[in-house]
PDB file of all heavy atoms in Angstrom:
ATOM      1  N   THR A 126     -76.033  60.446 219.192  1.00 89.00           N
ATOM      2  CA  THR A 126     -76.946  61.042 220.172  1.00 89.00           C
ATOM      3  C   THR A 126     -76.567  60.588 221.582  1.00 89.00           C
ATOM      4  O   THR A 126     -75.831  59.610 221.758  1.00 89.00           O
ATOM      5  CB  THR A 126     -78.385  60.613 219.874  1.00 89.00           C
ATOM      6  OG1 THR A 126     -78.472  59.183 220.020  1.00 89.00           O
ATOM      7  CG2 THR A 126     -78.796  61.013 218.467  1.00 89.00           C
ATOM      8  N   PRO A 127     -77.062  61.294 222.622  1.00 89.00           N
ATOM      9  CA  PRO A 127     -76.826  60.805 223.986  1.00 89.00           C
ATOM     10  C   PRO A 127     -77.351  59.383 224.196  1.00 89.00           C
ATOM     11  O   PRO A 127     -76.742  58.598 224.931  1.00 89.00           O
ATOM     12  CB  PRO A 127     -77.578  61.821 224.854  1.00 89.00           C
ATOM     13  CG  PRO A 127     -77.613  63.064 224.029  1.00 89.00           C
ATOM     14  CD  PRO A 127     -77.734  62.609 222.612  1.00 89.00           C
ATOM     15  N   PHE A 128     -78.465  59.038 223.554  1.00 91.00           N
ATOM     16  CA  PHE A 128     -78.974  57.675 223.676  1.00 91.00           C
ATOM     17  C   PHE A 128     -77.987  56.673 223.084  1.00 91.00           C
ATOM     18  O   PHE A 128     -77.755  55.605 223.657  1.00 91.00           O
ATOM     19  CB  PHE A 128     -80.326  57.568 222.972  1.00 91.00           C
ATOM     20  CG  PHE A 128     -80.927  56.197 223.030  1.00 91.00           C
ATOM     21  CD1 PHE A 128     -81.510  55.722 224.190  1.00 91.00           C
ATOM     22  CD2 PHE A 128     -80.897  55.351 221.924  1.00 91.00           C
ATOM     23  CE1 PHE A 128     -82.057  54.446 224.249  1.00 91.00           C
ATOM     24  CE2 PHE A 128     -81.438  54.082 221.971  1.00 91.00           C
ATOM     25  CZ  PHE A 128     -82.017  53.628 223.139  1.00 91.00           C
ATOM     26  N   ALA A 129     -77.388  57.014 221.933  1.00 87.00           N
ATOM     27  CA  ALA A 129     -76.366  56.137 221.364  1.00 87.00           C
ATOM     28  C   ALA A 129     -75.174  56.015 222.289  1.00 87.00           C
ATOM     29  O   ALA A 129     -74.611  54.929 222.468  1.00 87.00           O
ATOM     30  CB  ALA A 129     -75.929  56.673 219.999  1.00 87.00           C
ATOM     31  N   GLY A 130     -74.766  57.140 222.883  1.00 84.00           N
ATOM     32  CA  GLY A 130     -73.662  57.081 223.839  1.00 84.00           C
ATOM     33  C   GLY A 130     -73.999  56.234 225.042  1.00 84.00           C
ATOM     34  O   GLY A 130     -73.152  55.494 225.559  1.00 84.00           O
ATOM     35  N   LEU A 131     -75.256  56.316 225.507  1.00 85.00           N
ATOM     36  CA  LEU A 131     -75.688  55.511 226.646  1.00 85.00           C
ATOM     37  C   LEU A 131     -75.606  54.026 226.339  1.00 85.00           C
ATOM     38  O   LEU A 131     -75.243  53.211 227.198  1.00 85.00           O
ATOM     39  CB  LEU A 131     -77.126  55.907 227.016  1.00 85.00           C
ATOM     40  CG  LEU A 131     -77.748  55.244 228.247  1.00 85.00           C
ATOM     41  CD1 LEU A 131     -77.000  55.657 229.504  1.00 85.00           C
ATOM     42  CD2 LEU A 131     -79.221  55.604 228.360  1.00 85.00           C
ATOM     43  N   VAL A 132     -75.921  53.660 225.094  1.00 84.00           N
ATOM     44  CA  VAL A 132     -75.869  52.256 224.691  1.00 84.00           C
ATOM     45  C   VAL A 132     -74.431  51.790 224.467  1.00 84.00           C
ATOM     46  O   VAL A 132     -74.050  50.674 224.849  1.00 84.00           O
ATOM     47  CB  VAL A 132     -76.712  52.043 223.414  1.00 84.00           C
ATOM     48  CG1 VAL A 132     -76.547  50.621 222.893  1.00 84.00           C
ATOM     49  CG2 VAL A 132     -78.174  52.341 223.691  1.00 84.00           C
ATOM     50  N   LEU A 133     -73.596  52.652 223.874  1.00 79.00           N
ATOM     51  CA  LEU A 133     -72.246  52.246 223.489  1.00 79.00           C
ATOM     52  C   LEU A 133     -71.247  52.329 224.625  1.00 79.00           C
ATOM     53  O   LEU A 133     -70.233  51.626 224.615  1.00 79.00           O
ATOM     54  CB  LEU A 133     -71.755  53.117 222.331  1.00 79.00           C
ATOM     55  CG  LEU A 133     -72.510  52.991 221.003  1.00 79.00           C
ATOM     56  CD1 LEU A 133     -71.979  53.995 219.997  1.00 79.00           C
ATOM     57  CD2 LEU A 133     -72.387  51.582 220.446  1.00 79.00           C
ATOM     58  N   LYS A 134     -71.506  53.191 225.588  1.00 75.00           N
ATOM     59  CA  LYS A 134     -70.520  53.457 226.632  1.00 75.00           C
ATOM     60  C   LYS A 134     -70.066  52.203 227.373  1.00 75.00           C
ATOM     61  O   LYS A 134     -68.861  51.991 227.574  1.00 75.00           O
ATOM     62  CB  LYS A 134     -71.104  54.473 227.611  1.00 75.00           C
ATOM     63  CG  LYS A 134     -70.081  55.405 228.209  1.00 75.00           C
ATOM     64  CD  LYS A 134     -70.800  56.468 229.019  1.00 75.00           C
ATOM     65  CE  LYS A 134     -69.777  57.286 229.776  1.00 75.00           C
ATOM     66  NZ  LYS A 134     -70.427  58.229 230.685  1.00 75.00           N
ATOM     67  N   PRO A 135     -70.982  51.318 227.771  1.00 73.00           N
ATOM     68  CA  PRO A 135     -70.520  50.109 228.472  1.00 73.00           C
ATOM     69  C   PRO A 135     -69.639  49.197 227.627  1.00 73.00           C
ATOM     70  O   PRO A 135     -68.885  48.392 228.174  1.00 73.00           O
ATOM     71  CB  PRO A 135     -71.829  49.407 228.860  1.00 73.00           C
ATOM     72  CG  PRO A 135     -72.867  50.476 228.840  1.00 73.00           C
ATOM     73  CD  PRO A 135     -72.449  51.410 227.761  1.00 73.00           C
ATOM     74  N   LEU A 136     -69.718  49.315 226.290  1.00 70.00           N
ATOM     75  CA  LEU A 136     -68.927  48.436 225.439  1.00 70.00           C
ATOM     76  C   LEU A 136     -67.438  48.734 225.531  1.00 70.00           C
ATOM     77  O   LEU A 136     -66.615  47.879 225.201  1.00 70.00           O
ATOM     78  CB  LEU A 136     -69.376  48.571 223.979  1.00 70.00           C
ATOM     79  CG  LEU A 136     -70.830  48.181 223.675  1.00 70.00           C
ATOM     80  CD1 LEU A 136     -71.127  48.406 222.201  1.00 70.00           C
ATOM     81  CD2 LEU A 136     -71.096  46.733 224.067  1.00 70.00           C
ATOM     82  N   VAL A 137     -67.091  49.951 225.962  1.00 65.00           N
ATOM     83  CA  VAL A 137     -65.684  50.322 225.999  1.00 65.00           C
ATOM     84  C   VAL A 137     -64.921  49.459 226.989  1.00 65.00           C
ATOM     85  O   VAL A 137     -63.722  49.225 226.846  1.00 65.00           O
ATOM     86  CB  VAL A 137     -65.547  51.822 226.347  1.00 65.00           C
ATOM     87  CG1 VAL A 137     -64.092  52.256 226.366  1.00 65.00           C
ATOM     88  CG2 VAL A 137     -66.320  52.652 225.350  1.00 65.00           C
ATOM     89  N   GLY A 138     -65.615  48.953 227.985  1.00 62.00           N
ATOM     90  CA  GLY A 138     -64.936  48.117 228.959  1.00 62.00           C
ATOM     91  C   GLY A 138     -64.607  46.727 228.459  1.00 62.00           C
ATOM     92  O   GLY A 138     -63.875  45.985 229.126  1.00 62.00           O
ATOM     93  N   LEU A 139     -65.123  46.327 227.310  1.00 61.00           N
ATOM     94  CA  LEU A 139     -64.824  45.010 226.770  1.00 61.00           C
ATOM     95  C   LEU A 139     -63.406  44.943 226.235  1.00 61.00           C
ATOM     96  O   LEU A 139     -62.778  45.959 225.945  1.00 61.00           O
ATOM     97  CB  LEU A 139     -65.813  44.662 225.657  1.00 61.00           C
ATOM     98  CG  LEU A 139     -67.295  44.590 226.042  1.00 61.00           C
ATOM     99  CD1 LEU A 139     -68.138  44.296 224.820  1.00 61.00           C
ATOM    100  CD2 LEU A 139     -67.530  43.553 227.127  1.00 61.00           C
ATOM    101  N   ALA A 140     -62.901  43.739 226.077  1.00 55.00           N
ATOM    102  CA  ALA A 140     -61.551  43.570 225.533  1.00 55.00           C
ATOM    103  C   ALA A 140     -61.508  44.108 224.111  1.00 55.00           C
ATOM    104  O   ALA A 140     -62.404  43.849 223.299  1.00 55.00           O
ATOM    105  CB  ALA A 140     -61.161  42.092 225.552  1.00 55.00           C
ATOM    106  N   ALA A 141     -60.453  44.846 223.799  1.00 59.00           N
ATOM    107  CA  ALA A 141     -60.357  45.528 222.510  1.00 59.00           C
ATOM    108  C   ALA A 141     -60.431  44.579 221.319  1.00 59.00           C
ATOM    109  O   ALA A 141     -61.207  44.828 220.394  1.00 59.00           O
ATOM    110  CB  ALA A 141     -59.085  46.362 222.456  1.00 59.00           C
ATOM    111  N   PRO A 142     -59.644  43.490 221.271  1.00 66.00           N
ATOM    112  CA  PRO A 142     -59.713  42.651 220.059  1.00 66.00           C
ATOM    113  C   PRO A 142     -61.095  42.059 219.829  1.00 66.00           C
ATOM    114  O   PRO A 142     -61.591  42.035 218.691  1.00 66.00           O
ATOM    115  CB  PRO A 142     -58.659  41.570 220.321  1.00 66.00           C
ATOM    116  CG  PRO A 142     -57.749  42.158 221.347  1.00 66.00           C
ATOM    117  CD  PRO A 142     -58.624  43.004 222.207  1.00 66.00           C
ATOM    118  N   SER A 143     -61.722  41.557 220.888  1.00 70.00           N
ATOM    119  CA  SER A 143     -63.036  40.942 220.714  1.00 70.00           C
ATOM    120  C   SER A 143     -64.077  41.971 220.314  1.00 70.00           C
ATOM    121  O   SER A 143     -64.953  41.702 219.485  1.00 70.00           O
ATOM    122  CB  SER A 143     -63.461  40.239 222.006  1.00 70.00           C
ATOM    123  OG  SER A 143     -63.522  41.168 223.080  1.00 70.00           O
ATOM    124  N   LEU A 144     -64.005  43.180 220.882  1.00 73.00           N
ATOM    125  CA  LEU A 144     -64.942  44.222 220.511  1.00 73.00           C
ATOM    126  C   LEU A 144     -64.750  44.631 219.059  1.00 73.00           C
ATOM    127  O   LEU A 144     -65.726  44.839 218.324  1.00 73.00           O
ATOM    128  CB  LEU A 144     -64.761  45.435 221.425  1.00 73.00           C
ATOM    129  CG  LEU A 144     -65.627  46.655 221.100  1.00 73.00           C
ATOM    130  CD1 LEU A 144     -67.101  46.306 221.178  1.00 73.00           C
ATOM    131  CD2 LEU A 144     -65.295  47.813 222.037  1.00 73.00           C
ATOM    132  N   GLU A 145     -63.505  44.735 218.630  1.00 75.00           N
ATOM    133  CA  GLU A 145     -63.213  45.116 217.252  1.00 75.00           C
ATOM    134  C   GLU A 145     -63.805  44.113 216.274  1.00 75.00           C
ATOM    135  O   GLU A 145     -64.456  44.480 215.292  1.00 75.00           O
ATOM    136  CB  GLU A 145     -61.702  45.220 217.075  1.00 75.00           C
ATOM    137  CG  GLU A 145     -61.262  45.667 215.700  1.00 75.00           C
ATOM    138  CD  GLU A 145     -59.748  45.693 215.564  1.00 75.00           C
ATOM    139  OE1 GLU A 145     -59.059  45.139 216.456  1.00 75.00           O
ATOM    140  OE2 GLU A 145     -59.259  46.237 214.570  1.00 75.00           O
ATOM    141  N   ILE A 146     -63.586  42.842 216.534  1.00 78.00           N
ATOM    142  CA  ILE A 146     -64.097  41.796 215.639  1.00 78.00           C
ATOM    143  C   ILE A 146     -65.623  41.760 215.656  1.00 78.00           C
ATOM    144  O   ILE A 146     -66.277  41.688 214.607  1.00 78.00           O
ATOM    145  CB  ILE A 146     -63.510  40.431 216.050  1.00 78.00           C
ATOM    146  CG1 ILE A 146     -61.992  40.430 215.840  1.00 78.00           C
ATOM    147  CG2 ILE A 146     -64.161  39.307 215.252  1.00 78.00           C
ATOM    148  CD1 ILE A 146     -61.302  39.207 216.392  1.00 78.00           C
ATOM    149  N   ALA A 147     -66.208  41.827 216.865  1.00 79.00           N
ATOM    150  CA  ALA A 147     -67.666  41.763 216.969  1.00 79.00           C
ATOM    151  C   ALA A 147     -68.320  42.955 216.286  1.00 79.00           C
ATOM    152  O   ALA A 147     -69.325  42.807 215.571  1.00 79.00           O
ATOM    153  CB  ALA A 147     -68.075  41.699 218.443  1.00 79.00           C
ATOM    154  N   TRP A 148     -67.750  44.148 216.486  1.00 80.00           N
ATOM    155  CA  TRP A 148     -68.328  45.360 215.882  1.00 80.00           C
ATOM    156  C   TRP A 148     -68.293  45.275 214.357  1.00 80.00           C
ATOM    157  O   TRP A 148     -69.274  45.577 213.677  1.00 80.00           O
ATOM    158  CB  TRP A 148     -67.561  46.590 216.365  1.00 80.00           C
ATOM    159  CG  TRP A 148     -68.155  47.881 215.878  1.00 80.00           C
ATOM    160  CD1 TRP A 148     -67.931  48.507 214.695  1.00 80.00           C
ATOM    161  CD2 TRP A 148     -69.096  48.693 216.577  1.00 80.00           C
ATOM    162  NE1 TRP A 148     -68.654  49.655 214.599  1.00 80.00           N
ATOM    163  CE2 TRP A 148     -69.390  49.800 215.741  1.00 80.00           C
ATOM    164  CE3 TRP A 148     -69.717  48.599 217.815  1.00 80.00           C
ATOM    165  CZ2 TRP A 148     -70.267  50.800 216.128  1.00 80.00           C
ATOM    166  CZ3 TRP A 148     -70.593  49.604 218.194  1.00 80.00           C
ATOM    167  CH2 TRP A 148     -70.861  50.676 217.359  1.00 80.00           C
ATOM    168  N   THR A 149     -67.164  44.858 213.828  1.00 82.00           N
ATOM    169  CA  THR A 149     -67.022  44.774 212.373  1.00 82.00           C
ATOM    170  C   THR A 149     -67.973  43.730 211.789  1.00 82.00           C
ATOM    171  O   THR A 149     -68.648  43.982 210.782  1.00 82.00           O
ATOM    172  CB  THR A 149     -65.578  44.431 212.004  1.00 82.00           C
ATOM    173  OG1 THR A 149     -64.697  45.402 212.572  1.00 82.00           O
ATOM    174  CG2 THR A 149     -65.382  44.405 210.503  1.00 82.00           C
TER     175      THR A 149
END
Side-chain angles (χ1 to χ4, degrees):
T126 63
F128 179 75
L131 184 65
V132 174
L133 295 175
K134 213 173 172 186
L136 298 179
V137 181
L139 299 178
S143 60
L144 176 60
E145 183 183 12
I146 295 172
W148 184 275
T149 304

